[in-house]
Amino acid sequence: MPLSAGERLGPYEILAPIGAGGMGEVYRARDTRLDRDVAIKVLPAPVAQHSERLARFEREAKVLAALNHPNIATIHGLEDQAIVMELVEGPTLADRLAQGTIPLDESLRISAQIAEALEAAHEKGVVHRDLKPANVKVREDGTVKVLDFGLATAVQSGAREAGASVNSPTLTMGATEAGVILGTAAYMAPEQAAGALVDRRADIWSFGVVLWEMLTGNRLFDADSMAHTLADVLRKEIPFDQVPAPQPIKDLLRRCLDRDVKNRLQAIGEARIAISRYRAHPESGTESPALAKALPTSKLPWIAAAVAAAAALALGYVWYHHASEDPPPLLKLSILPPDKGSFAGNSIPVISPDGRRVVFGARVAGKNAIWVRDLDALTARILPGTEDGQYPFWSPDSRTVAFFQGSKLKRMDIAGGPSVSLCDSPGGGRGGAWAGDLIVFGVAGTGVMYQVSAAGGAPTAVIKPDAAAGETLLRWPSFLPDGRHFLYSSNNSDPEKVAIEVADLASGAHQRVLGASSNAVYVSPLGTTQGHLLFGRDQTLMAQPFDANKLQISGDALPIAEDVGIGVNSLQHQFSASRNGALVFKSGDSMDDLQLTWFDGSGKPLGTLASRINSFGVISPDGSTVVFDRRDPQTARMDIWLYDLMRGTTSRFTFGPNYNFNPIWSGDGRSIAFASNRDGTARVFQRSTNAGADQILTPPLGETPQTTRPQDWSRDGRYVVEETINRKGGFDLWLQPLFGDKKPFPYLATPFNETNARISPDGKWLAYASDETRSYEVYVQSFPTPGAKAQISTEGGEKPVWSRDGRQLYFISADRKMMTVNVKTGEKFEAGSPRMLFETRIGNALGNRFDVSKEGRFLIPTETEQANDSPLTLIVNWPALLKK
């Protein structure tokens, strides 16, 4: 539960946040009774909200509170699902190590105090289980304080009996449990990393690793992925001769870092004594017999058997490429959504190239955002500033995530900091890929594939849909290892021509790879040119050999996973793969994302009209029928449907095979206009509601396909307002006159994006959304000739809708609240101040609109409350599936 400055927990007043980690959020607080500052650590939700685990934690906390030692941060007590601890000022040992090697004398002084803290805890039966530099503070006077004693054990307590996998600080292996890493891989003891029972000797190993780091200035185990790290913990030969320390200290390290727990130093007190003796007589170079006996590092059979499994279960599998080594086993794990949240239906889970993290879209408390799960952490964390962000993708170094937000492509460093806008992406993006300092991305509105510098700038087109060949949308790019060629999905008005293609970034030349309605990813051992193409067929994930030099597939495509979800209205299979053999995907049908729901003026839901909505529903002028566009659950193609409000029946209005979308009513309610991508080009068609063939209402505009979709039809039947795509990929508003020469002309064609146009009932004013202030706001201009202009929204707004009598203008605020403004139309336009009516769950895409009935009921395309809480599936060493 996040806390703010000024809030109180009992007698404790929150002053400021200090930090956060797997064991909870930490705040500085004031103890108003004893007039002192303390640290408040809010317990993780899985503990705080589970009565049995909370009770078990409270019992454990009493034991921890008994640790009264000058080198242990004291626990004062519990307060409202939070633990109150001594506030320790000063940097952590990790901060000190960031400055470089610590001199021998200082290293021994610090390690001696750590040993004393461990000794005191072990005497009371408390094992730290997560000793690392970040959990050690060094005050200005040189006093060392060890933090978070026993919290790893206490937080886990209560799930299952001791000895079960969930009580391991390393991982869980239960068939129905999510794979979780508890603790820090680089400091885990081998038995801890392998999932075996641990005791105080695990702390002794961690003590040795910390001492090594202080003496050398380097981490002992610091591979490029967690899997490498855990594999090194289990079997890497430790170069003791590289430690710049006298022999007695090297001997101590050998005993602390013996993989055989029986030969390891049995009591941390022996380390304290050894350090004390050396500091007292450094010139003697002698050591106690117990420590002088330097035994070789042993490799017990159970360790050898656990090496591959533990490395794989690190959720970042190493692709073992030495023929002399046995490959790790195939493993399947789960990743749960954030607490009290669900995975967003329209967001693919994306694993980082190094296999250490997964980003995904999630909905918590009705808010969509992008989250990241560090795979060595207990829980996921939200990326601030990514609200309503979509389709994230990683930088090659796995440090930065790019994503689409509104009409912008943005990037954000995972370590922290604000998001940075890179360029416009009108209508939202359709996937991106990052190689070197260049990003390639697809745009929803145009179907064009663009490139832009990773530092930002003006995007330029790489390839455009070939309208003559029937291509309509290019999306979901993915780079090959050379950083020059990229795969992408090419949609087509002819279903038989939908394909995965590969393009040359430099020349724009492209060619077909295979026929499949899916995104595709190339994966190979260590980035070689002989690997596999991963792609989807229906809801099955396939792998087929692919030569990245010849740009050709070979052999047979083999299934490697079933029940792989398909993204909403995107034909995007929801999977991703790292370069080192890890695969993550979301299961189930992810397409049921929006439903048309009635709400009264206070936001109370009154019933659902239809599901699987693509963008919006519009009420007929006489109020008897709703027209809407809907996706087919099998093909994801769209058609126009009608809902009879009197009879409560649904009927289909168009029948593919192309995409038919964005329906609007004529002023008299006798015809429906809609966009259709037949012949590879988006045109506006109309059809009578009685019978008859489709008629072309508006020819295609501009040079690029996918250019035109209707926005509104004047009540007098003279004009249709259309949203078009300009040459730079932005949105303009055009008018299609239905009289005279019927030649379309621009109404608003500016350097900015104008969309969501609606004509006032008297036909004299046009409401629309524009991003001319760098964020979308609602404006009103005279119609049909633009002139007098008024800004309606003040803090972000879009999707304007007039009331049927023209006295109200409704719109959606930037934070998805339903807003209303009193207006007066006629020869002069007047508007009052916006006020909120209620919060909505309207679909966050710019094109998703709502309507209002004559009685004042709101018909809104709403994100469903149904929780998509099925866990993500992580497959470690998926290539093993090819051998079955």
Side-chain angles (χ1 to χ4, degrees), residues 121-368:
H122 291 174
E123 288 177 352
K124 292 187 176 294
V126 176
V127 179
H128 194 293
R129 293 163 66 115
D130 195 21
L131 180 66
K132 57 187 176 183
N135 279 336
V136 177
K137 282 217 170 188
V138 183
R139 300 196 312 196
E140 289 187 2
D141 63 0
T143 302
V144 170
K145 289 277 188 176
V146 180
L147 313 178
D148 282 0
F149 245 108
L151 287 191
T153 305
V155 165
Q156 296 166 70
S157 297
R160 282 161 54 174
E161 293 302 315
S165 60
V166 75
N167 289 312
S168 165
T170 308
L171 47 91
T172 62
M173 299 175 64
T176 61
E177 299 174 290
V180 176
I181 299 222
L182 308 176
T184 304
Y187 302 93
M188 287 182 181
E191 64 273 20
Q192 195 175 9
L197 287 171
V198 300
D199 57 23
R200 62 187 184 183
R201 290 171 293 185
D203 282 352
I204 294 173
W205 172 280
S206 301
F207 170 83
V209 176
V210 172
L211 177 55
W212 176 288
E213 190 169 343
M214 285 193 288
L215 293 173
T216 64
N218 300 310
R219 282 192 177 184
L220 177 55
F221 306 109
D222 191 25
D224 60 0
S225 73
M226 189 195 311
H228 282 93
T229 300
L230 285 186
D232 286 350
V233 167
L234 287 160
R235 63 179 178 180
K236 175 186 175 182
E237 184 174 351
I238 301 175
F240 292 102
D241 57 347
Q242 295 180 11
V243 180
Q247 192 60 44
I249 302 304
K250 289 184 179 181
D251 291 341
L252 173 61
L253 283 173
R254 286 180 182 273
R255 291 298 310 281
C256 291
L257 298 175
D258 197 314
R259 289 189 171 91
D260 185 345
V261 293
K262 295 181 180 178
N263 292 331
R264 191 180 304 159
L265 200 67
Q266 298 296 292
I268 193 65
E270 293 184 50
R272 174 183 56 79
I273 294 171
I275 293 172
S276 177
R277 286 181 177 177
Y278 175 79
R279 295 182 69 197
H281 305 284
E283 71 284 350
S284 67
T286 60
E287 187 53 89
S288 65
L291 290 173
K293 185 181 180 182
L295 296 178
T297 304
S298 55
K299 297 181 179 179
L300 298 180
W302 68 266
I303 297 180
V307 167
L313 282 170
L315 307 181
Y317 160 69
V318 174
W319 196 315
Y320 290 89
H321 59 283
H322 297 297
S324 61
E325 296 178 1
D326 292 331
L330 171 71
L331 294 165
K332 294 183 180 181
L333 307 171
S334 298
I335 299 175
L336 297 174
D339 185 51
K340 294 186 177 179
S342 60
F343 292 117
N346 205 22
S347 179
I348 184 174
V350 188
I351 193 166
S352 59
D354 64 8
R356 292 187 175 193
R357 300 179 177 94
V358 174
V359 290
F360 53 82
R363 184 182 306 138
V364 177
K367 305 295 183 182
N368 285 340

